[in-house]
Amino acid sequence: MENLKLIGIVIIVLGFCFKLDVIAVVVFAAIATGLVSGMTFVQILEVMGKSFTDTRLMSIFLLSFPVIVILERYGLKERSSELILKLKNTTAGKLLYLYAVIRTIAAALSIRLGGHAQFVRPLILPMAQASANTDDENKNEKIKSFSAAVENYANFFGQNIFVGASGGLLIQQTLVSLGYDVSLVKIAIYSIPMGIIMLIFVYIQSVIFDKKIGKVK
Amino acid sequence: MSILNILSEFMYILCGIVTLSVAICSLKNDQNKYTTFLFWLIISIMFIFSKLIPSYIIGGLIIVISILTLTKKVSVGQFSESSRKFRLEMSKKYKNLVFIPALLIGVGAFLLLQIKGVSTSLALGLSAIISLIVAIIIFKPNAKETIEDTNKMVMNVGPSSFLPQLLTGLGAVFTAANVGEITSKYAQVFINEKYIITAIIAYCLAMAIFTMIMGNAFAAFSVITTGIAAPFLLSKGLSPEIVGALGMTAGFCGTLMTPMAANFNVVPAAVLEMKSYTSILKTQVCVAIPLLISHIILMYIMTL
């Protein structure tokens, strides 16, 4: 029964569904897949251990933490907020679009600016709400949705443009294991067009959004 | 071993030293003191001695840390927060100077990678160290505070920061177990080998759909790339960098459309006090579908 090998995928889905501890779910899925495919327990440990050592590169971002905490203590977020606040007089859609652009560029440079809890909730959403100036509950819900969405768009399609993003490293490691020698810089460069296309679509969405919210300054 | 190789390995030893510092710091925890210590100590050993320890023992250590996280024995310590007043004062004082070390991390890595013989780990590690030195020169921070803040950040980011590494491990087991073959068998139904576009469509759609099911593009990537991209695209001579880069972001289109990616689509609804997360998904689908189609077109054009 070859399809039994897909048990690992089923375990991941169930584990994520029931919000079990992610690390344990992934490790368990690996063991189960190995066992049903006829590998011995030690062989499975061997494969996982070797892969961990081969992919240590993905965790090298730990070395950037000391400089990041210094920057945060010396006002990185406060200064960024101030720069964004200078853009006050605009529509909600334009403002959120601008945030998407800045956030994409920051992600491409691996600057940790953003986050739903760290940036959108305390800064971006209040500014968007102030620009829209509406009491309508449905419109308010739309503003919140779009605020949450721009954060994701920019985060997802900006991050791989950074050379050494964990996504880029995963691409590299997977292709190397398949026997293709690939350049990390090229992976980053080929991620740029999609970042730009994303910003074009988000611009269109922001224009439609402003029409729906109905207040054009 | 050349000097560059030794330096590259040294970067991982430094990572191990960072997590060792976290381990020692966790002994001051109120709860789960010793188990949290053990967790970070193991991580540190896996980084510092990885070249000396046999792989199956590293695998065994992974099982130990997964038991620790499963039983919720790894906690975050208590730390003091830098005051907002101080941070505002500093941001007035240093203005845009704060962005210089921040930019150096990324730009430095990019430039270092252009030098022949410099490995990725060396470039990324060295650029972080250079920007740290620049930051120390500009701000003259208190060393004790910096170490404490670093420990706090590592603990907060926590065990999940090793997830990409473990997911690749899962991918390695999938490959060893030939799971990819099953995926390619199913994909074959949709693919007409005469038309490369059918394979591109199958790959991009499978990335998005698998990501929607698994809730994680990283988890989907190794399975789908091994199963579909390798036999139907890469073996036909398509650029692996283009296929890989676009394959991953095709997966991200899936992330935009699934409640399984709770961190991005469900939790934010709570953070922003929304009535329901479905309106976030609805907003994102409008962009994700055209983006996914663009992936297919772009991959076709770029690899022509």
Side-chain angles (χ1 to χ4, degrees):
Chain A
M1 203 31 203
E2 208 188 15
N3 286 343
L4 208 60
K5 286 183 188 171
L6 297 176
I7 187 157
I9 295 164
V10 177
I11 292 172
I12 298 264
V13 171
L14 291 178
F16 286 6
C17 242
F18 292 107
K19 297 192 170 56
L20 301 176
D21 178 71
V22 190
I23 289 184
V25 168
V26 170
V27 171
F28 186 61
I31 296 173
T33 306
L35 287 179
V36 300
S37 312
M39 296 164 76
T40 66
F41 193 64
V42 176
Q43 273 175 332
I44 300 168
L45 292 185
E46 177 94 34
V47 171
M48 289 198 326
K50 183 171 181 304
S51 164
F52 190 90
T53 304
D54 289 346
T55 56
R56 284 176 299 166
L57 189 57
M58 290 180 179
S59 299
I60 203 131
F61 62 84
L62 284 173
L63 292 185
S64 59
F65 280 15
V67 58
I68 291 170
V69 296
I70 293 176
L71 299 181
E72 288 190 348
R73 196 174 266 271
Y74 288 85
L76 178 66
K77 286 193 178 148
E78 285 68 18
R79 183 65 192 166
S80 313
S81 315
E82 208 179 310
L83 292 183
I84 294 173
L85 277 172
K86 284 188 182 158
L87 315 164
K88 252 186 289 188
N89 277 322
T90 178
T91 62
K94 282 205 186 98
L95 182 119
L96 290 173
Y97 177 68
L98 205 68
Y99 174 67
V101 175
I102 295 171
R103 175 78 172 89
T104 308
I105 295 169
L109 293 165
S110 182
I111 298 175
R112 276 167 28 105
L113 176 123
H116 290 107
Q118 300 80 15
F119 240 82
V120 176
R121 166 83 207 235
L123 182 70
I124 305 301
L125 178 64
M127 284 171 65
Q129 283 171 324
S131 314
N133 193 17
T134 171
D135 291 330
D136 186 286
E137 238 179 80
N138 285 332
K139 284 184 180 171
N140 216 350
E141 191 81 354
K142 282 205 173 73
I143 297 171
K144 287 178 178 177
S145 306
F146 194 41
S147 308
V150 287
E151 167 69 29
N152 284 338
Y153 298 145
N155 179 15
F156 294 173
F157 295 91
Q159 54 172 282
N160 281 355
I161 299 172
F162 171 63
V163 182
S166 53
L169 291 169
L170 180 68
I171 295 169
Q172 189 195 33
Q173 307 278 358
T174 309
L175 292 170
V176 166
S177 77
L178 290 170
Y180 296 94
D181 187 24
V182 294
S183 127
L184 210 52
V185 173
K186 274 194 187 164
I187 294 175
I189 290 172
Y190 290 139
S191 301
I192 295 174
M194 211 29 87
I196 296 170
I197 293 173
M198 176 276 291
L199 285 175
I200 295 171
F201 283 130
V202 176
Y203 179 74
I204 297 169
Q205 192 172 35
S206 76
V207 172
I208 298 170
F209 172 84
D210 268 340
K211 285 221 172 96
K212 273 192 191 154
I213 298 300
K215 187 161 193 271
V216 183
K217 271 184 193 170
Chain B
M1 237 187 171
S2 76
I3 180 88
L4 283 173
N5 280 336
I6 296 170
L7 277 175
S8 308
E9 186 63 23
F10 182 66
M11 293 301 143
Y12 296 124
I13 296 177
L14 283 179
C15 288
I17 292 172
V18 170
T19 51
L20 185 65
S21 151
V22 178
I24 295 168
C25 161
S26 57
L27 286 173
K28 285 186 282 182
N29 273 12
D30 277 348
Q31 40 173 334
N32 293 331
K33 202 188 282 194
Y34 298 108
T35 44
T36 307
F37 170 75
L38 185 65
F39 177 88
W40 292 109
L41 183 69
I42 291 175
I43 298 275
S44 146
I45 291 170
M46 293 202 296
F47 273 95
I48 297 178
F49 301 109
S50 42
K51 287 276 153 163
L52 305 172
I53 308 177
S55 293
Y56 69 90
I57 295 187
I58 302 268
L61 291 173
I62 293 174
I63 308 265
V64 178
I65 60 169
S66 70
I67 293 170
L68 288 172
T69 58
L70 178 67
T71 51
K72 302 205 176 352
K73 292 287 185 228
V74 185
S75 358
V76 179
Q78 300 77 37
F79 294 94
S80 57
E81 179 98 37
S82 59
S83 81
R84 187 172 155 73
K85 188 166 159 275
F86 176 81
R87 295 197 308 265
L88 276 173
E89 264 170 35
M90 290 302 121
S91 104
K92 288 224 160 56
K93 183 171 164 197
Y94 291 105
K95 298 214 165 65
N96 294 340
L97 218 54
V98 77
F99 293 116
I100 289 174
L103 288 173
L104 260 181
I105 304 175
V107 177
F110 180 81
L111 293 178
L112 284 169
L113 276 171
Q114 309 303 316
I115 304 170
K116 222 176 153 31
V118 173
S119 70
T120 316
S121 68
L122 185 58
L124 296 179
L126 211 55
S127 70
I129 293 168
I130 293 170
S131 67
L132 175 64
I133 294 170
V134 172
I136 290 173
I137 293 170
I138 299 177
F139 305 110
K140 299 177 187 66
N142 176 320
K144 196 169 158 264
E145 266 175 10
T146 306
I147 294 172
E148 204 162 276
D149 284 351
T150 306
N151 290 338
K152 176 178 159 191
M153 187 163 166
V154 177
M155 277 190 172
N156 275 324
V157 175
S160 59
S161 57
F162 302 102
L163 200 61
Q165 260 187 288
L166 295 173
L167 285 169
T168 326
L170 177 66
V173 175
F174 278 171
T175 311
N178 283 326
V179 172
E181 269 176 25
I182 306 173
T183 339
S184 24
K185 217 172 65 192
Y186 287 116
Q188 224 142 20
V189 180
F190 303 97
I191 296 172
N192 182 338
E193 301 225 18
K194 258 190 270 171
Y195 305 102
I196 196 83
I197 186 81
T198 57
I200 289 177
I201 293 172
Y203 177 55
C204 290
L205 284 185
M207 269 308 300
I209 293 168
F210 250 65
T211 302
M212 289 176 73
I213 296 171
M214 296 172 92
N216 189 314
F218 285 11
F221 186 76
S222 55
V223 185
I224 301 301
T225 303
T226 315
I228 302 179
F232 299 109
L233 296 171
L234 302 180
S235 67
K236 303 278 185 292
L238 266 61
S239 151
E241 283 105 345
I242 295 174
V243 171
L246 291 176
M248 180 66 88
T249 43
F252 290 164
C253 295
T255 317
L256 290 173
M257 300 189 279
T258 176
M260 290 292 289
N263 279 349
F264 300 111
N265 302 331
V266 181
V267 177
V271 170
L272 303 182
E273 294 179 61
M274 297 176 61
K275 278 180 265 174
S276 145
Y277 65 80
T278 49
S279 59
I280 298 183
L281 287 175
K282 273 185 213 151
T283 308
Q284 292 180 166
V285 166
C286 300
V287 168
I289 290 176
L291 263 180
L292 187 55
I293 297 167
S294 313
H295 274 83
I296 295 168
I297 298 170
L298 197 65
M299 197 184 284
Y300 185 67
I301 295 172
M302 282 172 78
T303 55
L304 267 184

